[in-house]
Amino acid sequence: MITFDTSFFNQNFKTENQQVFLSALKEKNIELYIKREDEIHLFVSGNKFRKLKYNIEEAKNHQKDTLLTFGGAFSNHIVATAVAGKSSGFSTVGIIRGEELGIDINKTLAKNATLREASKNGMQFKFVSRSAYRNKTSEDFINQLKNEFGDFYLVPEGGTNELAIKGCEEILTKEDEKFDYICCAIGTGGTISGLINSANAHQKIIGFPSLKGDFLQEEINQFVKSNDNWSLQNEYHFGGYGKYNAELISFINKFKEQVGILLDPIYTGKMLFGILDMIGKNQFSSNSKILVIHTGGLQGIAGVNQKLKNKNQELIKV
């Protein structure tokens, strides 16, 4: 594991492409590799590092001393911003969806590993109602936050903006040119936008949204230079963001046992489930070379396992 220090974002990480060996791949004569972006850091891993890299730089250039961002109670982005902010010398503020979580903050932190880690790294929380949270991009709401917290650098929910996409364009390297397909999980669309912009002409980018709905197509179109080298697979969200079932948990455990790579149930688990299902249905041609981007997010497993334990269901084996 790479150590996080104050010069962390000045480093250029070249992450390993780990080949996956499964009988299903051999039968279809397909090569599958996973780019281990999850190994960059425990909390600022994968696309979180890529998205924050140039935003942190921009905040320093504007001499801001506070980062403010938004997220749910189990948001990987929230804890990544807290850890990255502390390491880089910033104060951090998290606007968290769900005002009920702020009624007894000690009880909330005791039950929620994500918010507990963010708090440990100095993040100040403001818990807001779901209706207020929906207005998080409005000028009035932002001005209210400025009145309360002073001058800050605003990092969008999920971290996606032009600077985030610039960071995600650095995921692919020259060695990745051999791949026919690049696959990634999608939350807000920033990671896939960077991949689309940096891919070679012969490569197809496939995104696996973790949310229901077709709105992501429009979101991604705002940031990409091409519309003919990518597509979305909307059949593997397992009911929507944060939703999962026993089949997905079992798949994640079996994949870890067979391959030795841990997946999360919000993003990467759904994506790999989808990819292998598509391979089984002959949706990739024989001799295809597929690169899968592991975007991290493993810290969220603790919260999911707590919910599974409360329901006496199979846990994710970490």
PDB file of all heavy atoms in Angstrom, residues 272-292:
ATOM      1  N   LEU A 272     -18.246  -5.996 -12.398  1.00  0.00           N
ATOM      2  CA  LEU A 272     -17.670  -7.295 -12.754  1.00  0.00           C
ATOM      3  C   LEU A 272     -18.747  -8.343 -12.954  1.00  0.00           C
ATOM      4  O   LEU A 272     -18.634  -9.203 -13.832  1.00  0.00           O
ATOM      5  CB  LEU A 272     -16.679  -7.742 -11.672  1.00  0.00           C
ATOM      6  CG  LEU A 272     -15.198  -7.496 -11.944  1.00  0.00           C
ATOM      7  CD1 LEU A 272     -14.723  -8.201 -13.204  1.00  0.00           C
ATOM      8  CD2 LEU A 272     -14.860  -6.034 -11.984  1.00  0.00           C
ATOM      9  N   PHE A 273     -19.811  -8.281 -12.166  1.00  0.00           N
ATOM     10  CA  PHE A 273     -20.945  -9.183 -12.378  1.00  0.00           C
ATOM     11  C   PHE A 273     -21.472  -8.997 -13.796  1.00  0.00           C
ATOM     12  O   PHE A 273     -21.722  -9.967 -14.521  1.00  0.00           O
ATOM     13  CB  PHE A 273     -22.047  -8.885 -11.356  1.00  0.00           C
ATOM     14  CG  PHE A 273     -23.240  -9.799 -11.450  1.00  0.00           C
ATOM     15  CD1 PHE A 273     -23.363 -10.887 -10.608  1.00  0.00           C
ATOM     16  CD2 PHE A 273     -24.258  -9.578 -12.385  1.00  0.00           C
ATOM     17  CE1 PHE A 273     -24.470 -11.736 -10.687  1.00  0.00           C
ATOM     18  CE2 PHE A 273     -25.339 -10.414 -12.484  1.00  0.00           C
ATOM     19  CZ  PHE A 273     -25.452 -11.500 -11.635  1.00  0.00           C
ATOM     20  N   GLY A 274     -21.633  -7.744 -14.207  1.00  0.00           N
ATOM     21  CA  GLY A 274     -22.143  -7.442 -15.544  1.00  0.00           C
ATOM     22  C   GLY A 274     -21.211  -7.893 -16.644  1.00  0.00           C
ATOM     23  O   GLY A 274     -21.647  -8.482 -17.644  1.00  0.00           O
ATOM     24  N   ILE A 275     -19.923  -7.638 -16.481  1.00  0.00           N
ATOM     25  CA  ILE A 275     -18.952  -8.022 -17.511  1.00  0.00           C
ATOM     26  C   ILE A 275     -18.958  -9.523 -17.729  1.00  0.00           C
ATOM     27  O   ILE A 275     -19.008 -10.006 -18.870  1.00  0.00           O
ATOM     28  CB  ILE A 275     -17.542  -7.538 -17.123  1.00  0.00           C
ATOM     29  CG1 ILE A 275     -17.464  -6.007 -17.200  1.00  0.00           C
ATOM     30  CG2 ILE A 275     -16.478  -8.153 -18.037  1.00  0.00           C
ATOM     31  CD1 ILE A 275     -16.217  -5.418 -16.555  1.00  0.00           C
ATOM     32  N   LEU A 276     -18.920 -10.286 -16.644  1.00  0.00           N
ATOM     33  CA  LEU A 276     -18.879 -11.741 -16.778  1.00  0.00           C
ATOM     34  C   LEU A 276     -20.203 -12.284 -17.325  1.00  0.00           C
ATOM     35  O   LEU A 276     -20.219 -13.275 -18.069  1.00  0.00           O
ATOM     36  CB  LEU A 276     -18.528 -12.394 -15.438  1.00  0.00           C
ATOM     37  CG  LEU A 276     -17.083 -12.113 -14.977  1.00  0.00           C
ATOM     38  CD1 LEU A 276     -16.847 -12.652 -13.572  1.00  0.00           C
ATOM     39  CD2 LEU A 276     -16.078 -12.731 -15.944  1.00  0.00           C
ATOM     40  N   ASP A 277     -21.307 -11.633 -16.981  1.00  0.00           N
ATOM     41  CA  ASP A 277     -22.600 -12.023 -17.554  1.00  0.00           C
ATOM     42  C   ASP A 277     -22.618 -11.760 -19.056  1.00  0.00           C
ATOM     43  O   ASP A 277     -23.085 -12.599 -19.840  1.00  0.00           O
ATOM     44  CB  ASP A 277     -23.722 -11.244 -16.864  1.00  0.00           C
ATOM     45  CG  ASP A 277     -25.105 -11.705 -17.305  1.00  0.00           C
ATOM     46  OD1 ASP A 277     -25.418 -12.893 -17.114  1.00  0.00           O
ATOM     47  OD2 ASP A 277     -25.858 -10.877 -17.847  1.00  0.00           O
ATOM     48  N   MET A 278     -22.082 -10.628 -19.472  1.00  0.00           N
ATOM     49  CA  MET A 278     -22.016 -10.289 -20.897  1.00  0.00           C
ATOM     50  C   MET A 278     -21.104 -11.256 -21.657  1.00  0.00           C
ATOM     51  O   MET A 278     -21.404 -11.650 -22.791  1.00  0.00           O
ATOM     52  CB  MET A 278     -21.520  -8.855 -21.065  1.00  0.00           C
ATOM     53  CG  MET A 278     -22.523  -7.796 -20.630  1.00  0.00           C
ATOM     54  SD  MET A 278     -21.790  -6.125 -20.612  1.00  0.00           S
ATOM     55  CE  MET A 278     -21.457  -5.895 -22.374  1.00  0.00           C
ATOM     56  N   ILE A 279     -20.001 -11.636 -21.019  1.00  0.00           N
ATOM     57  CA  ILE A 279     -19.100 -12.606 -21.652  1.00  0.00           C
ATOM     58  C   ILE A 279     -19.819 -13.927 -21.852  1.00  0.00           C
ATOM     59  O   ILE A 279     -19.725 -14.554 -22.911  1.00  0.00           O
ATOM     60  CB  ILE A 279     -17.821 -12.781 -20.804  1.00  0.00           C
ATOM     61  CG1 ILE A 279     -16.942 -11.524 -20.913  1.00  0.00           C
ATOM     62  CG2 ILE A 279     -17.026 -14.016 -21.246  1.00  0.00           C
ATOM     63  CD1 ILE A 279     -15.773 -11.488 -19.951  1.00  0.00           C
ATOM     64  N   GLY A 280     -20.569 -14.353 -20.837  1.00  0.00           N
ATOM     65  CA  GLY A 280     -21.322 -15.599 -20.937  1.00  0.00           C
ATOM     66  C   GLY A 280     -22.379 -15.563 -22.023  1.00  0.00           C
ATOM     67  O   GLY A 280     -22.739 -16.596 -22.599  1.00  0.00           O
ATOM     68  N   LYS A 281     -22.867 -14.355 -22.329  1.00  0.00           N
ATOM     69  CA  LYS A 281     -23.892 -14.183 -23.365  1.00  0.00           C
ATOM     70  C   LYS A 281     -23.283 -13.820 -24.720  1.00  0.00           C
ATOM     71  O   LYS A 281     -23.987 -13.367 -25.627  1.00  0.00           O
ATOM     72  CB  LYS A 281     -24.884 -13.095 -22.933  1.00  0.00           C
ATOM     73  CG  LYS A 281     -25.714 -13.483 -21.721  1.00  0.00           C
ATOM     74  CD  LYS A 281     -26.593 -12.323 -21.255  1.00  0.00           C
ATOM     75  CE  LYS A 281     -27.460 -12.734 -20.065  1.00  0.00           C
ATOM     76  NZ  LYS A 281     -28.235 -11.585 -19.528  1.00  0.00           N
ATOM     77  N   ASN A 282     -21.957 -13.979 -24.832  1.00  0.00           N
ATOM     78  CA  ASN A 282     -21.231 -13.746 -26.100  1.00  0.00           C
ATOM     79  C   ASN A 282     -21.356 -12.307 -26.604  1.00  0.00           C
ATOM     80  O   ASN A 282     -21.402 -12.050 -27.809  1.00  0.00           O
ATOM     81  CB  ASN A 282     -21.707 -14.717 -27.188  1.00  0.00           C
ATOM     82  CG  ASN A 282     -21.443 -16.171 -26.817  1.00  0.00           C
ATOM     83  OD1 ASN A 282     -20.341 -16.516 -26.387  1.00  0.00           O
ATOM     84  ND2 ASN A 282     -22.456 -17.008 -26.966  1.00  0.00           N
ATOM     85  N   GLN A 283     -21.400 -11.361 -25.671  1.00  0.00           N
ATOM     86  CA  GLN A 283     -21.488  -9.946 -26.068  1.00  0.00           C
ATOM     87  C   GLN A 283     -20.110  -9.313 -26.282  1.00  0.00           C
ATOM     88  O   GLN A 283     -20.017  -8.141 -26.653  1.00  0.00           O
ATOM     89  CB  GLN A 283     -22.309  -9.175 -25.037  1.00  0.00           C
ATOM     90  CG  GLN A 283     -23.772  -9.616 -25.036  1.00  0.00           C
ATOM     91  CD  GLN A 283     -24.623  -8.862 -24.038  1.00  0.00           C
ATOM     92  OE1 GLN A 283     -24.291  -7.756 -23.636  1.00  0.00           O
ATOM     93  NE2 GLN A 283     -25.741  -9.460 -23.628  1.00  0.00           N
ATOM     94  N   PHE A 284     -19.063 -10.089 -26.007  1.00  0.00           N
ATOM     95  CA  PHE A 284     -17.704  -9.704 -26.387  1.00  0.00           C
ATOM     96  C   PHE A 284     -17.201 -10.750 -27.375  1.00  0.00           C
ATOM     97  O   PHE A 284     -17.357 -11.944 -27.143  1.00  0.00           O
ATOM     98  CB  PHE A 284     -16.766  -9.674 -25.178  1.00  0.00           C
ATOM     99  CG  PHE A 284     -17.066  -8.579 -24.190  1.00  0.00           C
ATOM    100  CD1 PHE A 284     -17.802  -8.851 -23.044  1.00  0.00           C
ATOM    101  CD2 PHE A 284     -16.593  -7.294 -24.399  1.00  0.00           C
ATOM    102  CE1 PHE A 284     -18.070  -7.858 -22.118  1.00  0.00           C
ATOM    103  CE2 PHE A 284     -16.864  -6.284 -23.479  1.00  0.00           C
ATOM    104  CZ  PHE A 284     -17.602  -6.562 -22.342  1.00  0.00           C
ATOM    105  N   SER A 285     -16.590 -10.308 -28.462  1.00  0.00           N
ATOM    106  CA  SER A 285     -16.116 -11.262 -29.463  1.00  0.00           C
ATOM    107  C   SER A 285     -14.906 -12.033 -28.954  1.00  0.00           C
ATOM    108  O   SER A 285     -14.160 -11.572 -28.085  1.00  0.00           O
ATOM    109  CB  SER A 285     -15.755 -10.527 -30.755  1.00  0.00           C
ATOM    110  OG  SER A 285     -14.773  -9.541 -30.503  1.00  0.00           O
ATOM    111  N   SER A 286     -14.706 -13.219 -29.493  1.00  0.00           N
ATOM    112  CA  SER A 286     -13.557 -14.048 -29.148  1.00  0.00           C
ATOM    113  C   SER A 286     -12.274 -13.280 -29.446  1.00  0.00           C
ATOM    114  O   SER A 286     -12.217 -12.477 -30.380  1.00  0.00           O
ATOM    115  CB  SER A 286     -13.601 -15.343 -29.958  1.00  0.00           C
ATOM    116  OG  SER A 286     -12.538 -16.191 -29.596  1.00  0.00           O
ATOM    117  N   ASN A 287     -11.244 -13.511 -28.634  1.00  0.00           N
ATOM    118  CA  ASN A 287      -9.935 -12.842 -28.732  1.00  0.00           C
ATOM    119  C   ASN A 287      -9.945 -11.402 -28.211  1.00  0.00           C
ATOM    120  O   ASN A 287      -8.951 -10.693 -28.354  1.00  0.00           O
ATOM    121  CB  ASN A 287      -9.399 -12.846 -30.172  1.00  0.00           C
ATOM    122  CG  ASN A 287      -9.140 -14.251 -30.683  1.00  0.00           C
ATOM    123  OD1 ASN A 287      -8.550 -15.061 -29.979  1.00  0.00           O
ATOM    124  ND2 ASN A 287      -9.603 -14.536 -31.891  1.00  0.00           N
ATOM    125  N   SER A 288     -11.053 -10.971 -27.611  1.00  0.00           N
ATOM    126  CA  SER A 288     -11.106  -9.620 -27.057  1.00  0.00           C
ATOM    127  C   SER A 288     -10.179  -9.490 -25.846  1.00  0.00           C
ATOM    128  O   SER A 288      -9.994 -10.437 -25.067  1.00  0.00           O
ATOM    129  CB  SER A 288     -12.525  -9.273 -26.610  1.00  0.00           C
ATOM    130  OG  SER A 288     -13.398  -9.149 -27.705  1.00  0.00           O
ATOM    131  N   LYS A 289      -9.614  -8.310 -25.712  1.00  0.00           N
ATOM    132  CA  LYS A 289      -8.809  -7.975 -24.529  1.00  0.00           C
ATOM    133  C   LYS A 289      -9.548  -6.862 -23.778  1.00  0.00           C
ATOM    134  O   LYS A 289      -9.794  -5.790 -24.328  1.00  0.00           O
ATOM    135  CB  LYS A 289      -7.409  -7.522 -24.938  1.00  0.00           C
ATOM    136  CG  LYS A 289      -6.531  -8.627 -25.517  1.00  0.00           C
ATOM    137  CD  LYS A 289      -5.146  -8.094 -25.872  1.00  0.00           C
ATOM    138  CE  LYS A 289      -4.216  -9.232 -26.293  1.00  0.00           C
ATOM    139  NZ  LYS A 289      -4.694  -9.933 -27.498  1.00  0.00           N
ATOM    140  N   ILE A 290      -9.910  -7.144 -22.531  1.00  0.00           N
ATOM    141  CA  ILE A 290     -10.723  -6.231 -21.728  1.00  0.00           C
ATOM    142  C   ILE A 290      -9.923  -5.721 -20.543  1.00  0.00           C
ATOM    143  O   ILE A 290      -9.309  -6.504 -19.813  1.00  0.00           O
ATOM    144  CB  ILE A 290     -12.000  -6.933 -21.223  1.00  0.00           C
ATOM    145  CG1 ILE A 290     -12.804  -7.534 -22.383  1.00  0.00           C
ATOM    146  CG2 ILE A 290     -12.861  -5.966 -20.407  1.00  0.00           C
ATOM    147  CD1 ILE A 290     -13.944  -8.431 -21.938  1.00  0.00           C
ATOM    148  N   LEU A 291      -9.937  -4.404 -20.337  1.00  0.00           N
ATOM    149  CA  LEU A 291      -9.319  -3.802 -19.156  1.00  0.00           C
ATOM    150  C   LEU A 291     -10.423  -3.221 -18.279  1.00  0.00           C
ATOM    151  O   LEU A 291     -11.240  -2.414 -18.732  1.00  0.00           O
ATOM    152  CB  LEU A 291      -8.340  -2.696 -19.560  1.00  0.00           C
ATOM    153  CG  LEU A 291      -7.641  -1.978 -18.398  1.00  0.00           C
ATOM    154  CD1 LEU A 291      -6.748  -2.937 -17.617  1.00  0.00           C
ATOM    155  CD2 LEU A 291      -6.835  -0.785 -18.897  1.00  0.00           C
ATOM    156  N   VAL A 292     -10.430  -3.638 -17.018  1.00  0.00           N
ATOM    157  CA  VAL A 292     -11.427  -3.185 -16.051  1.00  0.00           C
ATOM    158  C   VAL A 292     -10.739  -2.242 -15.062  1.00  0.00           C
ATOM    159  O   VAL A 292      -9.682  -2.571 -14.512  1.00  0.00           O
ATOM    160  CB  VAL A 292     -12.028  -4.388 -15.294  1.00  0.00           C
ATOM    161  CG1 VAL A 292     -13.013  -3.916 -14.237  1.00  0.00           C
ATOM    162  CG2 VAL A 292     -12.696  -5.349 -16.259  1.00  0.00           C
TER     163      VAL A 292
END
